[in-house]
Amino acid sequence: MKLPVLTITLNPALDKTVTVEDFVLGGLNRIKEWRMDAGGKGINVAKVLKNFSVDVTAWGLCAGRQGNVLTDTLSSLGIPNWFVQAKGETRTNLKLYVEHTRETTELNEPGFTVDEDVLSQFLDRFRNDIRHVSLVVLGGSLPKGIPGDFYKTLIQIANEAGVRTVLDADGEPFVHGIEAVPYAIKPNIHELESFFGESFQSDEEIIDAARRLIAKGIACVAVSLGGEGSILVTETEAIRAKPAPITPLSTVGAGDSMVAALIYCMLNGMSLEEAARWSSTAGTVTALKPGTQVCTLAEVKEKLGSVNIWSISKTTNTN
């Protein structure tokens, strides 16, 4: 029996996406349509994995009536979930999509504040249940009250239990998380440059930076490059993926879809080359959707051939 993937979202949100034909700053703008989705990095990963028929469970923290809406939404999607209730209210993140410009503007609330009792509840169950999962995904920002090294703590617990972790965060949580040596990380190019305090001008420089992280014990570094695709690096391989040019409707959830596809490939024993193709395709398909909608397995399979893949070391195109 395969154990489920566990996603952790400590600062989730209800993502409200509104669509307008055009946007007038300082004027009246009438909404054509709107939708509400459960959001946050770990939750987005869970939604994609569910679409890929992977057994996945979503954990995290939430608060207030909107927290109940969020967990009810996950349950309606068939995603088992457990969220510790904090004081306050779960944030709402507004995504404004303008049809005329085909651009999405994000307005994100800060979220609730967490106290020690809530953190203790979460940590106690995490320690007790970690051996019952196959892999843990840690992603997104931390709400107020949670120390910046909390992902580090969770990764250390998972490592001690022999459970692999995937980290997708930035800033202090990313820096401290790397200290605990997760199995895989997915920084975007800006996060990678910020971590090293450097600017990378070529694929080779990005690979060199990734290998510096691999030297710390991380098995895989997946660097997302936005519309330019991605680079996946291990100790022995470096694979470049570049999708066909698109006009994105929204980049929200694209990186999370990339993480989910990477996990799908890991669980199914696929090669790094296949993982690069699948993850880049998943991110691209999600970017073609408005708001916070995510890709499906059928959509990704249909578009796999549209991504160019080559090894940086061998420079052999395999498309």
Side-chain angles (χ1 to χ4, degrees):
M1 178 180 176
K2 289 186 177 181
L3 297 176
V5 173
L6 175 64
T7 70
I8 304 295
T9 311
L10 299 175
N11 197 16
L14 288 178
D15 287 333
K16 184 174 184 179
T17 304
V18 298
T19 301
V20 296
E21 287 187 6
D22 207 343
F23 181 74
V24 180
L25 184 64
L28 175 64
N29 297 276
R30 297 193 182 279
I31 295 172
K32 288 184 62 177
E33 57 185 42
W34 67 276
R35 61 177 291 137
M36 189 80 79
D37 298 293
K41 281 187 176 296
I43 288 175
N44 290 336
V45 171
K47 289 190 291 187
V48 176
L49 289 175
K50 179 65 178 180
N51 287 346
F52 284 21
S53 298
V54 172
D55 188 5
V56 60
T57 297
W59 281 17
L61 310 178
C62 66
R65 294 167 60 184
Q66 294 188 159
N68 293 331
V69 172
L70 183 136
T71 55
D72 288 346
T73 300
L74 287 172
S75 296
S76 71
L77 295 173
I79 299 173
N81 58 88
W82 176 73
F83 282 70
V84 182
Q85 279 277 349
K87 296 177 181 178
E89 190 61 76
T90 300
R91 60 185 179 150
T92 296
N93 290 342
L94 180 63
K95 319 296 181 184
L96 173 64
Y97 176 65
V98 182
E99 290 183 330
H100 179 69
T101 61
R102 296 170 70 89
E103 293 179 331
T104 298
T105 299
E106 299 181 61
L107 298 171
N108 292 353
E109 295 179 0
F112 47 79
T113 299
V114 179
D115 60 32
E116 290 186 7
D117 287 342
V118 169
L119 274 188
S120 295
Q121 288 183 58
F122 185 88
L123 273 175
D124 286 347
R125 183 162 180 185
F126 187 82
R127 288 193 181 96
N128 290 334
D129 290 12
I130 185 63
R131 295 183 184 278
H132 303 302
V133 302
S134 60
L135 186 147
V136 179
V137 183
L138 304 166
S141 63
L142 300 178
K144 295 177 183 178
I146 295 186
D149 63 352
F150 194 68
Y151 283 152
K152 176 182 179 179
T153 299
L154 297 182
I155 293 168
Q156 289 172 331
I157 294 170
N159 286 345
E160 290 170 3
V163 176
R164 293 179 294 178
T165 55
V166 178
L167 175 66
D168 184 11
D170 62 4
E172 191 178 0
F174 179 68
V175 172
H176 288 302
I178 283 177
E179 293 171 358
V181 191
Y183 179 83
I185 60 174
K186 199 239 26 107
N188 61 39
I189 183 60
H190 306 295
E191 292 162 350
L192 190 69
E193 289 178 333
S194 176
F195 178 81
F196 284 106
E198 302 174 23
S199 179
F200 305 123
Q201 305 301 321
S202 67
D203 289 349
E204 287 76 14
E205 290 179 352
I206 294 171
I207 293 168
D208 176 72
R211 289 256 161 83
R212 281 183 265 168
L213 293 171
I214 288 169
K216 298 178 181 292
I218 297 169
C220 179
V221 178
V223 184
S224 58
L225 306 172
E228 292 299 309
S230 60
I231 300 177
L232 269 62
V233 185
T234 65
E235 185 177 7
T236 59
E237 293 182 275
I239 305 296
R240 180 73 161 87
K242 188 170 184 179
I246 65 167
T247 301
L249 295 184
S250 172
T251 58
V252 179
D256 307 325
S257 298
M258 181 179 171
V259 171
L262 177 63
I263 291 168
Y264 178 80
C265 293
M266 289 166 54
L267 295 175
N268 285 280
M270 296 187 190
S271 67
L272 190 69
E273 183 178 294
E274 291 173 306
R277 186 182 296 279
W278 274 77
S279 58
S280 185
T281 303
T284 301
V285 171
T286 291
L288 288 169
K289 295 173 176 284
T292 55
Q293 299 178 67
V294 295
C295 58
T296 66
L297 182 61
E299 290 170 335
V300 173
K301 285 183 175 179
E302 181 183 355
K303 298 292 185 181
L304 284 173
S306 66
V307 176
N308 288 317
I309 301 292
W310 66 93
S311 169
I312 298 295
S313 57
K314 297 178 182 179
T315 63
T316 301
N317 194 298
T318 62
N319 186 49

